[in-house]
Amino acid sequence: MNRTYNFSISSTQFIAPDGNLIKPLPATVNEALLLKAYRQMVLIRTYDQKAVALQRTGKLGTYPSALGQEAIGVAIGLAMRADDVFVPYYRDHATQYLRGVSLTEMLQYWGGDERGSHYKNCPQDMPLCVPIATQFCHAAGIASAFKIRGEKRASVVTGGDGSTSKGDFLESLNLSGVWQLPLVMVINNNQWAISTRREVQSHGETLAQKAISADIPGVQVDGNDFVSLYDAMLTALERAHSGKGPTLIEAVSYRLSDHTTADDATRYRSNDELKKGWDLEPVKRLRDYLHHEKLWGSEQERQLQTDVKQQVDEAVSAYLEIEPEAPTAMFDHLFETLPAPLQAQYDEVRRTHQS
């Protein structure tokens, strides 16, 4: 038998869970970048905790926490160029914030107000995608437009481990290889697709190896290590910007929260597993590294916690002061002329609202 193809998948880690270096940092990473990344990770964790509290008190709709995913979102956001396009899924609060979406806009969206998707500072980015994997098709289409126009821009799309089992992901992956699109696909492998374990979701040893079927680079990185994903993102974006085609990145992390506030993860995973997940979490890891390097201290931490709390509180106050849209807004932008059944519903909602 002749073997026609062999492959291997690289796995990268720079900072260990205890905050010590495993190998020298890449030249693209410096002290200022790490301090900025840490501040953003703390901000997003504070925002995330507040969003969950708002949902529990009836002031926000169902919300997907990004607890434990902070390094992934911050690395993507800091690596992308302003003229790239971000195509997010629902756990990308950190990247969205770094792209220019305000905390208030994010709260507005999760509060059920679609005006929160009308981003003031980054109108080129796509709104959040809640359906699983459809965003990959959108991102491939955007990347196709860049290639046809000859623009040196990249489309960056994210999804969870469960999304890699969907046809939309696999078709977009295949297309990106055939057309050599300027596309970066990042998989947030947080080990759980709602209540389905990663091992049940896919029989492959890695999710990155799915790139092999499209003959594009596939790499795995420690998603709890900001440096690993940031470095992989820069490499993938350079490939995309220079016309060398797409990349698939698997960022291995762990979901420390429930899937959403409508979920109860205690029904399907053990406390021991969750405890092991906390041992790997990204915020403490980067803080420990900064402590080891004497770049961060207790007074700086106290000031940061004060600053981010104030910033989040101001965003929440602005969100709560937004005048809600009329209930008839749910019919807007669906059709130029409403079909008769929807027109009847519209009239009934309007009458009820006015009474």
Side-chain angles (χ1 to χ4, degrees):
M1 181 180 71
N2 295 322
R3 186 175 293 278
T4 59
Y5 195 91
N6 287 311
F7 73 87
S8 62
I9 298 295
S10 66
S11 182
T12 305
Q13 186 183 50
F14 287 91
I15 301 177
D18 62 4
N20 287 309
L21 274 186
I22 294 174
K23 58 183 179 180
L25 297 179
T28 52
V29 173
N30 55 39
E31 294 177 1
L33 175 71
L34 293 177
L35 288 169
K36 182 177 183 179
Y38 178 67
R39 291 188 177 99
Q40 298 301 327
M41 288 164 68
V42 171
L43 170 65
I44 288 302
R45 179 163 292 188
T46 304
Y47 156 81
D48 196 71
Q49 292 168 336
K50 188 66 177 181
V52 172
L54 288 170
Q55 192 280 331
R56 299 304 190 207
T57 54
K59 296 175 181 175
L60 204 69
T62 299
Y63 175 79
S65 171
L67 186 63
Q69 327 284 296
E70 295 88 352
I72 296 174
V74 170
I76 296 172
L78 290 179
M80 288 180 67
R81 294 193 325 205
D83 64 347
D84 294 330
V85 170
F86 184 51
V87 188
Y89 86 127
Y90 45 79
R91 220 179 294 279
D92 282 323
H93 322 308
T95 308
Q96 283 199 301
Y97 177 74
L98 285 165
R99 298 284 297 163
V101 180
S102 71
L103 300 179
T104 299
E105 287 174 321
M106 286 192 269
L107 291 170
Q108 192 176 6
Y109 172 82
W110 290 112
D113 190 334
E114 287 288 349
R115 292 176 296 178
S117 297
H118 190 195
Y119 310 135
K120 179 180 179 182
N121 295 322
C122 53
Q124 79 282 5
D125 284 0
M126 297 292 282
L128 286 175
C129 190
V130 174
I132 305 302
T134 54
Q135 70 273 21
F136 291 103
C137 298
H138 309 157
I142 293 166
S144 299
F146 292 159
K147 187 177 180 70
I148 291 168
R149 295 171 184 165
E151 297 176 351
K152 296 184 181 304
R153 302 167 66 188
S155 173
V156 177
V157 60
T158 56
D161 39 293
S163 69
T164 65
S165 299
K166 301 288 285 186
D168 287 351
F169 166 79
L170 296 166
E171 292 160 12
S172 302
L173 182 72
N174 185 67
L175 179 76
S176 72
V178 173
W179 288 0
Q180 288 294 284
L181 299 178
L183 179 65
V184 180
M185 308 169 83
V186 182
I187 301 304
N188 179 348
N189 176 6
N190 64 23
Q191 312 303 318
W192 287 96
I194 308 183
S195 58
T196 301
R197 287 184 178 278
R198 155 68 180 87
E199 293 78 9
V200 177
Q201 188 65 233
S202 173
H203 188 62
E205 181 69 19
T206 72
L207 298 178
Q209 70 197 58
K210 298 192 178 192
I212 304 303
S213 64
D215 197 22
I216 69 173
V219 298
Q220 185 187 72
V221 303
D222 184 339
N224 290 327
D225 172 14
F226 164 80
V227 177
S228 293
L229 183 53
Y230 180 78
D231 187 57
M233 281 296 300
L234 290 185
T235 300
L237 286 167
E238 194 281 332
R239 277 182 51 81
H241 292 147
S242 60
K244 296 179 180 177
T247 303
L248 175 65
I249 300 173
E250 176 191 1
V252 179
S253 66
Y254 189 82
R255 194 190 78 204
L256 296 172
S257 62
D258 296 329
H259 174 67
T260 70
T261 50
D263 177 41
D264 177 6
T266 62
R267 298 175 62 185
Y268 53 81
R269 71 177 178 189
S270 69
N271 288 333
D272 287 344
E273 179 181 320
L274 181 60
K275 183 177 181 302
K276 290 178 182 175
W278 275 105
D279 291 339
L280 303 175
E281 70 103 346
V283 176
K284 181 178 182 300
R285 181 185 306 202
L286 184 51
R287 183 172 64 239
D288 286 348
Y289 170 76
L290 295 174
H291 273 297
H292 295 334
E293 297 298 312
K294 302 187 186 309
L295 298 173
W296 196 252
S298 55
E299 180 56 36
Q300 290 165 296
E301 181 68 23
R302 278 194 293 271
Q303 187 61 55
L304 176 62
Q305 293 292 341
T306 299
D307 292 344
V308 298
K309 181 179 184 305
Q310 180 179 349
Q311 187 174 348
V312 171
D313 286 346
E314 290 174 356
V316 170
S317 296
Y319 158 66
L320 294 176
E321 290 174 0
I322 295 173
E323 188 72 24
E325 285 189 298
T328 50
M330 72 177 81
F331 297 94
D332 294 342
H333 314 299
L334 293 175
F335 296 93
E336 183 175 0
T337 303
L338 281 177
L342 285 180
Q343 184 63 54
Q345 293 179 33
Y346 173 87
D347 293 339
E348 181 179 352
V349 170
R350 186 176 60 178
R351 284 194 300 272
T352 302
H353 181 61
Q354 290 175 340
S355 62

